[in-house]
Amino acid sequence: MSSVEQIDRAPEVVVDCLIIGAGAAGLVAALSAIEGGESVLVLERDGVPQGSTALSAGLIPAAGTRWQAALGVEDSPTQFAIDIMRKAHGEPSLDLIVLVTRTIGPTLEWLADRHQLPFSLVDNFTYPGHSRYRMHGLPSRAGRELIDRLRAAAETAGIDILCEAHATTLLVDRANRITGVRFTRPDGSSDDIGCKRLILACSGYGGNPALVARHIPQMASATYFGHVGNQGDALNWGEQLDGATRHLGGHQGHGSVAHPAGILISWATITEGGFQVNAKGERFSNEASGYSEQAANVLAQPDGIAWTIFDARIADIAAQFEDFRNAVAHGAVLEAQDIAGLAAGMRVPADALIATFAEVATAKSEKRTDRFGRSFAGVPQLVTPYRAVRVTGALFHTQGGLVIDDHARVMRRDGSVIDNLFAAGGAACGVSGADASGYLSGNGLLTAVALGRVAGLAKC
Ligand SMILES: Cc1cc2nc3c(=O)[nH]c(=O)nc-3n(C[C@H](O)[C@H](O)[C@H](O)COP(=O)(O)OP(=O)(O)OC[C@H]3O[C@@H](n4cnc5c(N)ncnc54)[C@H](O)[C@@H]3O)c2cc1C
């Protein structure tokens, strides 16, 4: 579907800045570009903008923000960059990390001041790998609110979002410079629209099983939990234009998706002192390494199933998330007054589960690292009543993609730039390195929002 076509005459109607994709990256880019005085048009294949952004928890990490300062959290883009680099084993581009960590804080403050997005700081638990409280979210802590507020801001700013417009073909001149885009409508008709510059904000390839099998074979059979419309078009176009790509195996997995309900269970259930067992009632990994790499660990268990176990205190923390409240309403969260009762509900051997609880309790009380390498330092013991959720591992989104420069311009394999083609969000290579273990919580919306801002403000 995604092709590149050379044409001799540019389309008649030309906008300054054309954007493909109305997720967080595309809408932040649009709001930024119109502020710079450009005429802007966004093409979106769906009837209503949603993307993976709507499916997310909407949490965006940023350092040095006024929300952190108000709560006395000392942080800086440099500290944030160190955390990202450490989680990704030194693999990502340092320049890119510096760019996004410096951009994201001012961008959230601009979204709050200029477009009335009421962010606040999540200050009651830290995500694995973040050395500070730095997750910012909207009141519902749900991505649907983020996309709805961005769309409303775009409408207020007078930005045209053409929905049910599926971009299929990039139009280029003889020098392979972008001159426009062809898109199709649901009735099969198509149109060409010209542009002075194009921003690819149509995300990654998680919704394309063939590309997942090629680049992330270990997740080929995993449930894809992201937006199905993300078919890898940016990657396909970029490759046809000789664009450089990087870290195509990079992705965000998640090891705690309620099954069969299909609802995300907040990782606060783990970081606050919970743990996971398999169908034998036994732990199998260091859950605290991160939820992303835990997806493959869970999928390696019998039937690809595990149980996330926690208690009422942790459930109260997780309840700030709409997803968790939905899981409770859905009946996905078991409750029991003792371990034997919990084991019965889970249908796992009670003696094994009792032994696992005891092992975790000992590790906590002795403040030592357990046999999987997990430290339970600083987290309280679980107390009755207990909770458990049956979960599986899932692929959330891809993190590899097109290599960009510090203006978010797409780079060719020879190191030159395609000077009027930009990429942001899941379309661009992110800051998570070559596999799931490099994903630091929030890297997805970090690069969507920060690179959307950079691409939107850029000129060519
Ligand atoms: C369940 C879940 C929870 C998550 N939670 C978080 C979180 O809390 N924090 C975080 O940082 N990240 C999170 N993520 C990741 C985050 O959602 C993504 O990284 C981010 O939304 C990507 O934004 P985007 O704008 O690049 O893509 P998207 O939001 O997916 O938007 C891309 C848009 O492009 C459109 N499109 C695609 N192809 C075309 C085409 N050819 N023509 C026209 N339109 C097209 C799509 O329809 C879509 O609307 C989560 C992901 C999932 C799945």
Side-chain angles (χ1 to χ4, degrees):
M1 277 292 260
S2 34
S3 59
V4 174
E5 188 177 312
Q6 201 180 96
I7 54 164
D8 291 330
R9 280 185 46 187
E12 276 174 24
V13 178
V14 177
V15 295
D16 294 331
C17 179
L18 186 59
I19 299 170
I20 303 177
L27 293 179
V28 170
L31 289 165
S32 303
I34 205 161
E35 206 174 84
E38 291 182 297
S39 58
V40 179
L41 176 65
V42 185
L43 301 177
E44 168 54 51
R45 59 179 288 167
D46 289 350
V48 178
Q50 296 179 77
S52 286
T53 302
L55 301 169
S56 77
L59 296 179
I60 308 170
T65 68
R66 64 174 185 237
W67 298 282
Q68 288 179 309
L71 293 171
V73 177
E74 284 182 24
D75 198 6
S76 66
T78 303
Q79 183 57 51
F80 186 13
I82 290 169
D83 289 350
I84 291 175
M85 199 54 119
R86 185 181 298 127
K87 185 74 172 82
H89 328 293
E91 292 171 355
S93 151
L94 178 60
D95 289 346
L96 184 59
I97 293 181
V98 169
L99 178 67
V100 296
T101 52
R102 284 191 183 158
T103 303
I104 193 65
T107 301
L108 294 192
E109 294 185 0
W110 162 75
L111 285 171
D113 295 340
R114 185 83 181 242
H115 299 292
Q116 288 79 51
L117 270 69
F119 288 109
S120 61
L121 187 69
V122 176
D123 67 345
N124 54 359
F125 67 94
T126 46
Y127 281 86
H130 282 287
S131 58
R132 307 283 192 278
Y133 290 131
R134 59 168 75 104
M135 285 296 183
H136 297 71
L138 295 169
S140 68
R141 305 286 193 245
R144 179 161 298 282
E145 181 177 5
L146 177 62
I147 198 75
D148 287 349
R149 285 186 183 269
L150 287 173
R151 193 188 64 233
E155 283 165 7
T156 303
I159 294 166
D160 290 321
I161 304 174
L162 197 56
C163 290
E164 299 193 320
H166 184 181
T168 56
T169 310
L170 299 200
L171 307 173
V172 297
D173 63 15
R174 286 181 187 192
N176 260 355
R177 221 168 172 270
I178 308 297
T179 55
V181 168
R182 179 165 302 141
F183 63 92
T184 60
R185 302 187 188 83
D187 65 6
S189 62
S190 71
D191 241 323
D192 292 354
I193 178 94
C195 63
K196 293 184 182 159
R197 68 187 190 107
L198 176 65
I199 299 176
L200 300 176
C202 43
S203 208
Y205 39 92
N208 184 325
L211 287 178
V212 172
R214 186 184 316 158
H215 299 300
I216 321 173
Q218 69 277 24
M219 296 303 277
S221 61
T223 304
Y224 173 55
F225 214 62
H227 184 61
V228 289
N230 295 340
Q231 291 287 316
D233 293 330
L235 179 64
N236 288 334
W237 286 318
E239 285 180 330
Q240 289 170 68
L241 290 166
D242 209 25
T245 61
R246 197 166 182 228
H247 290 159
L248 296 181
H251 64 280
Q252 180 197 9
H254 205 292
S256 197
V257 172
H259 186 77
I263 302 172
L264 173 63
I265 301 299
S266 165
W267 206 242
T269 52
I270 298 297
T271 55
E272 281 298 309
F275 56 90
Q276 289 190 319
V277 299
N278 58 21
K280 297 179 195 161
E282 296 167 353
R283 283 183 60 225
F284 49 88
S285 63
N286 173 4
E287 307 89 338
S289 295
Y291 56 67
S292 183
E293 54 268 59
Q294 190 66 2
N297 291 333
V298 169
L299 289 169
Q301 301 311 302
D303 299 324
I305 291 296
W307 288 87
T308 299
I309 294 177
F310 47 102
D311 63 8
R313 176 188 68 84
I314 297 176
D316 282 347
I317 294 172
Q320 70 185 289
F321 296 103
E322 192 174 87
D323 280 335
F324 188 82
R325 297 194 297 272
N326 287 341
V328 173
H330 206 274
V333 184
L334 290 184
E335 183 176 339
Q337 294 303 323
D338 56 26
I339 304 172
L342 199 65
M346 294 163 58
R347 300 206 179 124
V348 304
D351 51 351
L353 192 63
I354 289 167
T356 300
F357 263 81
E359 187 185 10
V360 171
T362 304
K364 285 184 181 176
S365 60
E366 294 180 356
K367 297 186 174 47
R368 64 173 166 78
T369 300
D370 72 5
R371 65 194 160 105
F372 299 106
R374 176 171 177 185
S375 165
F376 282 96
V379 288
Q381 298 285 0
L382 298 188
V383 294
T384 59
Y386 300 120
R387 304 277 196 281
V389 186
R390 189 174 189 266
V391 298
T392 189
L395 171 63
F396 273 20
H397 73 283
T398 54
Q399 274 280 294
L402 299 171
V403 176
I404 54 170
D405 73 357
D406 57 3
H407 299 287
R409 291 178 299 190
V410 173
M411 299 188 71
R412 295 192 188 87
R413 277 187 273 262
D414 65 6
S416 62
V417 293
I418 306 176
D419 73 346
N420 71 343
L421 182 64
F422 300 76
C429 177
V431 290
S432 303
D435 62 33
S437 68
Y439 185 84
L440 184 68
S441 300
N443 276 359
L445 284 170
L446 166 67
T447 49
V449 173
L451 294 178
R453 180 75 174 147
V454 171
L457 289 176
K459 299 277 179 260
C460 62

